Amino acid sequence: MTGGGRRSARSRTKPSTDVNEDDDAFNKAKPISKLRRVKTKDHGTALRILNADLKIILGFGIIAALIIFFLVNHLISIAEEARRPRVVTPFPAPRIMDLPQFQGEHKESLYWGTYRPHVYFGIRARTPLSLVAGLMWLGVKDGRYFIRHICQDSDDLSTYGWTSHNGRDFGHQVLVDQDMTLATSFLKYKEDDSGYGGDWAVRINVQNQGWNEEMQKNVHLFFYLAEEDGNALSLGGDILDIHENSLLASGSRTDIGEWQLHLKSKADLEVHYSGLRTPHIHNLSDLVQENLASQLIRFNRLQLPDIYQSSSNILVFQISGRIPLETDIVFVSGAGENSRVEERISNLAGVSLTNQLNKKQREFDVKFESCFQLADKLDSNSIHVGKAAIGNMLGGIGYFYGQSKILIPKNSNVKSHDDFLLYWPAELYTAVPSRPFFPRGFLWDEGFHQLLIWRWDLHISLDIVGHWLDLINIDGWIPREQILGAEALSKVPAEFVLQHSSNGNPPTLFLVLRDLVNGIKKNKFTASESSEIISFLQQAFVRLEAWFQWFNTTQLGKDVGSYYWHGRDNLTIRELNPKTLSSGLDDYPRASHPTEDERHLDLRCWMLLAADCMNSVAELIWKENKPGKDYASTSNLLSDFDTLNQMHFDHASGAYFDFGNHTEKVRLSWKENMIGNNYVDRELVREVLERPELKLVPHVGYVSLFPFMTRIIPSESWILEKQLDLISNRSILWTNYGLRSLAKTSSMYMKRNTQHDAPYWRGPIWMNMNYMILSSLRHYSLENGPYRDKARAIYEELRDNLIRNVVQNYHQTGFLWEQYDQKQGKGKGARVFTGWTSLVLLIMAEAYNEM
């Protein structure tokens, strides 16, 4: 008899209202499922209930197993996080870029852009693995062909740069290569049928300057597409005849859907192509050159081979024609069925594109005047340079993705096969100092860049600052130079790649944050803009606190209220004065012998800026319930005039100085080294002629003026007059072109720091420091006090000198420069330095930062 039969027989001997023993045992065995007690004589029903309850038990078991699985993985993740070195551990707070204001329409509107500043013309999306586009051409020099692609001085272009760019959907650039003038225009447009980010078009116009040589009558352009994720691109056809079919390439991406690239032109063009398969694009110039060289050797023709490698992720299109030449390249996204592709292409080419570009140019001009109001202040030559300044600043904004390399800290327990650790994978949207020399993010440069950018486009500026602050690690440190991705790495000498986690960089982002806070207080922004700034500051506050605290602990000096830049080499035998790269002022002379006793005047003043800004931000966003540290106390300590004078002021010279272990009797001398038996090598080595001692470091220059720049000096103080005298003295800092970085009276003036390092911050004129000095001159000229008229006169003459010299250099050379010679005013250092030299536009507009 089955179990069911036994149970049924037993049930007949008891009243139906009683619970039998088997049922009771069954229910006790299942407390979790809360089963109803079985009162039925239907044994099949009881079995079905039992089966259902077993399923419930099994379900609970699976859920419990999943919970345990995820819990174990979470614990493993926590353990791995605990083992991860702190220097490469992200700051544990919500990312600023996750704020709603950076999502949606804002994010999509900035998706595509000219975000590849290191090439003469390049387009990419703000995504780690993007579809990338760019332009090359064959240049001619001394009868030979050269590929032009990467911005580099050796190409000897007469001029290049954006004459206008709005940072979002429009830009116009002019490049002059020998006798060829090449203009590139970029336009972005979003229609209802477009995919994410919209469509874009590129117009390339080539003119000549009257050459006669046969080889120079034709132009060879190379426009390419590359998929960074390695996906294959589809070719428009084996034979490309744009008059029959304008389609060059097509493909599909999850972000933008199906896309197409078209070439539209009325010119008689010949189009050839090459499909390549490679994981990297930073060496694309070499690949194209090798293709052309092979064709020239084998077939005596200067054209790509019309070969498509299997699964090519790069397509290069050679567009050849006689000069003058104009062609439009149109990219449409969301190019599926019923998406009006032909109509959209027509809207972005030919006459329609001309009309849209002209409209965008007019809008740029109107916005430029609205932002900077130069029409009644300056002549057309100066205004032209002002437009180039903002155009190149915005056109030089880039998007990068990758991992910084961090030198393993000394006395660290970290084990690694290399001498570096990899930062977490990160993205960075940022302006850059110089497209050919420094096409990547530099922390202290970026604060100066944003003084210009926020006045043009607040949302772009907040986006950039947010990206930078999201790079902060758990200790509150931000790597000062961002070398993210293979393309960025390819432009950096090996000795500058590794970042040192003990070294800082001036916290200049506080300059722009202070401007924004002051702007809210003075009602310079709309209600919507003010709300977004406040939301930004609320999200950023914990990161800013960590950043401030990092400086306030790691860079702290021995004395209360003193700081010193870490990272100076106290063992060097080849440097006349050990560089202070972390200060941003590189070879500016400091104490001859680096020690922990140093007190760096500029860092003290940067910390005052940071403390003052943190206090203002806290008051703005937290009102009465201000949490955390009392930044007002730190600000008061660092702005205390008497304490500052006790620590840094020299009464004899009337100047402020650093303090440290120092001697002036140091020089570089030639030393001969025998190498082998027959060769003698000579090198410059440092020779110290007297024992150093702790004292003020007597070098007048930009560092000496930091208390003036941060306006610590009271307007009625006689010390203010001393600073004005130092500034206006031609034997010290004054020139007809701007203020020298180091006084002529300094023992280090224009001295080489090593055999290979020419003077950098030891005399030449730098725009960022001149801007800050002008800002304070303007401030003191408006303050009540005995020296306001003197400050005003110096301000007006210095402003005129700076504007005149930069404008004159631009029209003579075609470029803004990194620095300017103090003797003749000529541009020096890196050209196309449209980073902080672009501050000349704010000088023109008399738009200065406030304390």
Side-chain angles (χ1 to χ4, degrees), residues 86-87 409 473-478 500-505 507 545-558 562-568 582 595-596 598 600 603 607:
R86 290 182 64 86
V87 71
N473 76 2
I474 195 171
D475 291 324
W477 174 71
I478 304 174
H500 299 250
S501 60
S502 61
N503 298 354
N505 220 201
E545 280 201 307
W547 196 27
F548 179 90
Q549 194 60 26
W550 183 88
F551 277 101
N552 208 34
T553 52
T554 68
Q555 311 294 294
L556 206 59
K558 285 187 174 181
S562 70
Y563 300 87
Y564 72 99
W565 295 109
H566 285 226
R568 300 188 70 209
S582 54
T595 67
E596 294 181 356
E598 284 190 269
H600 288 148
L603 182 50
M607 291 305 296

Side-chain angles (χ1 to χ4, degrees), residues 604 637 639-649 712:
R604 177 192 170 95
L637 169 67
S639 62
D640 185 85
F641 190 48
D642 292 334
T643 304
L644 171 71
N645 291 339
Q646 290 169 16
M647 297 177 75
H648 290 283
F649 187 66
I712 303 173

Side-chain angles (χ1 to χ4, degrees), residues 654-665:
Y656 289 97
F657 297 128
D658 282 345
F659 177 88
N661 197 31
H662 182 71
T663 175
E664 282 288 281
K665 295 188 177 181

Side-chain angles (χ1 to χ4, degrees), residues 271-403:
V271 181
H272 296 278
Y273 64 88
S274 182
L276 306 168
R277 178 92 192 152
T278 177
H280 305 296
I281 65 170
H282 65 271
N283 60 343
L284 188 53
S285 307
D286 297 333
L287 296 177
V288 171
Q289 193 154 320
E290 289 167 9
N291 260 269
L292 290 173
S294 174
Q295 288 291 102
L296 195 59
I297 292 170
R298 294 174 61 192
F299 306 111
N300 195 33
R301 61 191 184 198
L302 198 64
Q303 67 181 54
L304 293 177
D306 294 329
I307 294 175
Y308 177 88
Q309 292 182 12
S310 176
S311 300
S312 292
N313 67 314
I314 298 177
L315 288 175
V316 184
F317 300 98
Q318 179 179 354
I319 305 165
S320 302
R322 294 179 69 83
I323 300 174
L325 176 152
E326 184 171 275
T327 184
D328 299 333
I329 297 171
V330 182
F331 178 90
V332 290
S333 59
E337 293 183 10
N338 304 318
S339 59
R340 303 184 302 109
V341 170
E342 289 300 324
E343 181 183 342
R344 287 158 57 196
I345 294 169
S346 179
N347 288 339
L348 287 173
V351 174
S352 179
L353 178 58
T354 299
N355 292 337
Q356 291 190 72
L357 290 172
N358 290 339
K359 179 184 176 184
K360 287 292 182 181
Q361 182 64 59
R362 290 192 297 271
E363 290 174 356
F364 173 86
D365 292 338
V366 169
K367 183 171 183 177
F368 180 86
E369 178 56 26
S370 173
C371 286
F372 305 111
Q373 300 177 9
L374 302 186
D376 296 329
K377 293 182 179 179
L378 296 166
D379 59 22
S380 59
N381 281 342
S382 299
I383 293 173
H384 177 78
V385 174
K387 289 180 178 179
I390 186 64
N392 278 293
M393 175 71 80
L394 296 167
I397 291 175
Y399 174 90
F400 307 92
Y401 184 85
Q403 294 177 268

Side-chain angles (χ1 to χ4, degrees), residues 130-396:
S130 172
L131 182 64
V132 171
L135 175 69
M136 307 179 195
W137 71 92
L138 277 183
V140 180
K141 183 180 177 183
D142 300 328
R144 298 177 59 195
Y145 287 111
F146 294 89
I147 285 282
R148 310 295 197 215
H149 179 215
I150 306 293
C151 298
Q152 51 192 10
D153 262 12
S154 58
D155 287 345
D156 284 334
L157 267 65
S158 302
T159 185
Y160 65 94
W162 298 95
T163 58
S164 50
H165 200 298
N166 66 10
R168 290 183 173 271
D169 56 14
F170 165 73
H172 181 75
Q173 181 181 216
V174 175
L175 311 98
V176 180
D177 185 2
Q178 304 299 313
D179 291 323
M180 181 176 72
T181 299
L182 189 150
T184 62
S185 298
F186 171 72
L187 181 79
K188 192 166 62 176
Y189 191 72
K190 181 79 162 72
E191 294 199 35
D192 292 339
D193 296 319
S194 301
Y196 186 82
D199 308 330
W200 48 261
V202 177
R203 170 161 290 174
I204 305 168
N205 182 285
V206 186
Q207 303 290 329
N208 67 29
Q209 304 298 323
W211 55 51
N212 294 312
E213 294 182 33
E214 182 62 31
M215 68 184 299
Q216 293 179 322
K217 288 182 180 179
N218 295 318
V219 63
H220 301 280
L221 308 173
F222 302 86
F223 195 87
Y224 62 85
L225 283 180
E227 269 282 18
E228 289 185 320
D229 64 6
N231 287 342
L233 304 176
S234 297
L235 189 65
D238 292 336
I239 299 175
L240 299 177
D241 184 347
I242 64 164
H243 297 296
E244 293 293 328
N245 182 2
S246 65
L247 180 65
L248 293 179
S250 62
S252 178
R253 290 179 59 91
T254 56
D255 49 1
I256 63 173
E258 295 181 26
W259 58 264
Q260 295 179 6
L261 185 76
H262 290 258
L263 175 64
K264 306 290 282 188
S265 179
K266 293 182 179 180
D268 184 14
L269 302 178
E270 190 175 335
V271 181
H272 296 278
Y273 64 88
S274 182
L276 306 168
R277 178 92 192 152
T278 177
H280 305 296
I281 65 170
H282 65 271
N283 60 343
L284 188 53
S285 307
D286 297 333
L287 296 177
V288 171
Q289 193 154 320
E290 289 167 9
N291 260 269
L292 290 173
S294 174
Q295 288 291 102
L296 195 59
I297 292 170
R298 294 174 61 192
F299 306 111
N300 195 33
R301 61 191 184 198
L302 198 64
Q303 67 181 54
L304 293 177
D306 294 329
I307 294 175
Y308 177 88
Q309 292 182 12
S310 176
S311 300
S312 292
N313 67 314
I314 298 177
L315 288 175
V316 184
F317 300 98
Q318 179 179 354
I319 305 165
S320 302
R322 294 179 69 83
I323 300 174
L325 176 152
E326 184 171 275
T327 184
D328 299 333
I329 297 171
V330 182
F331 178 90
V332 290
S333 59
E337 293 183 10
N338 304 318
S339 59
R340 303 184 302 109
V341 170
E342 289 300 324
E343 181 183 342
R344 287 158 57 196
I345 294 169
S346 179
N347 288 339
L348 287 173
V351 174
S352 179
L353 178 58
T354 299
N355 292 337
Q356 291 190 72
L357 290 172
N358 290 339
K359 179 184 176 184
K360 287 292 182 181
Q361 182 64 59
R362 290 192 297 271
E363 290 174 356
F364 173 86
D365 292 338
V366 169
K367 183 171 183 177
F368 180 86
E369 178 56 26
S370 173
C371 286
F372 305 111
Q373 300 177 9
L374 302 186
D376 296 329
K377 293 182 179 179
L378 296 166
D379 59 22
S380 59
N381 281 342
S382 299
I383 293 173
H384 177 78
V385 174
K387 289 180 178 179
I390 186 64
N392 278 293
M393 175 71 80
L394 296 167

Side-chain angles (χ1 to χ4, degrees), residues 512-696:
V512 63
L513 295 179
R514 184 183 61 187
D515 271 3
L516 298 182
V517 170
N518 287 335
I520 290 176
K521 292 178 178 178
K522 295 185 176 182
N523 296 316
K524 290 183 178 179
F525 301 111
T526 65
S528 174
E529 289 172 336
S530 295
S531 176
E532 290 189 17
I533 293 169
I534 291 172
S535 295
F536 177 94
L537 293 173
Q538 288 173 332
Q539 187 97 326
F541 193 76
V542 290
R543 293 175 179 272
L544 294 171
E545 280 201 307
W547 196 27
F548 179 90
Q549 194 60 26
W550 183 88
F551 277 101
N552 208 34
T553 52
T554 68
Q555 311 294 294
L556 206 59
K558 285 187 174 181
D559 301 306
V560 176
S562 70
Y563 300 87
Y564 72 99
W565 295 109
H566 285 226
R568 300 188 70 209
D569 185 357
N570 61 1
L571 300 176
T572 181
I573 61 169
R574 291 180 176 84
E575 292 183 83
L576 179 62
N577 188 273
K579 288 193 293 292
T580 317
L581 294 174
S582 54
S583 74
L585 303 178
D586 296 16
D587 67 344
Y588 187 95
R590 309 282 183 163
S592 60
H593 291 67
T595 67
E596 294 181 356
D597 296 299
E598 284 190 269
R599 300 197 293 254
H600 288 148
L601 177 61
D602 53 333
L603 182 50
R604 177 192 170 95
C605 292
W606 285 123
M607 291 305 296
L608 169 58
L609 164 71
D612 182 63
C613 184
M614 288 297 293
N615 184 59
S616 296
V617 170
E619 288 179 345
L620 176 69
I621 64 177
W622 304 116
K623 305 300 181 185
E624 299 303 321
N625 301 314
K626 183 172 63 176
K629 310 206 178 315
D630 184 2
Y631 293 103
S633 295
T634 305
S635 177
N636 291 336
L637 169 67
L638 296 178
S639 62
D640 185 85
F641 190 48
D642 292 334
T643 304
L644 171 71
N645 291 339
Q646 290 169 16
M647 297 177 75
H648 290 283
F649 187 66
D650 176 56
H651 285 265
S653 62
Y656 289 97
F657 297 128
D658 282 345
F659 177 88
N661 197 31
H662 182 71
T663 175
E664 282 288 281
K665 295 188 177 181
V666 180
R667 68 186 183 191
L668 291 178
S669 302
W670 286 105
K671 179 182 178 182
E672 294 185 350
N673 300 312
M674 183 67 71
I675 300 178
N677 296 323
N678 303 314
Y679 180 69
V680 176
D681 181 45
R682 299 176 73 224
E683 64 173 344
L684 279 173
V685 297
R686 183 164 107 141
E687 188 177 2
V688 180
L689 303 177
E690 76 172 9
R691 188 181 186 87
E693 59 184 44
L694 291 174
K695 60 182 178 181
L696 293 173

Side-chain angles (χ1 to χ4, degrees), residues 444 448 702 706 709 761 766-773:
W444 96 291
F448 291 108
Y702 288 160
F706 263 81
M709 289 187 245
W761 291 85
W766 293 81
M767 195 58 58
N768 59 337
M769 293 292 104
N770 273 270
Y771 172 80
M772 291 182 68
I773 293 164

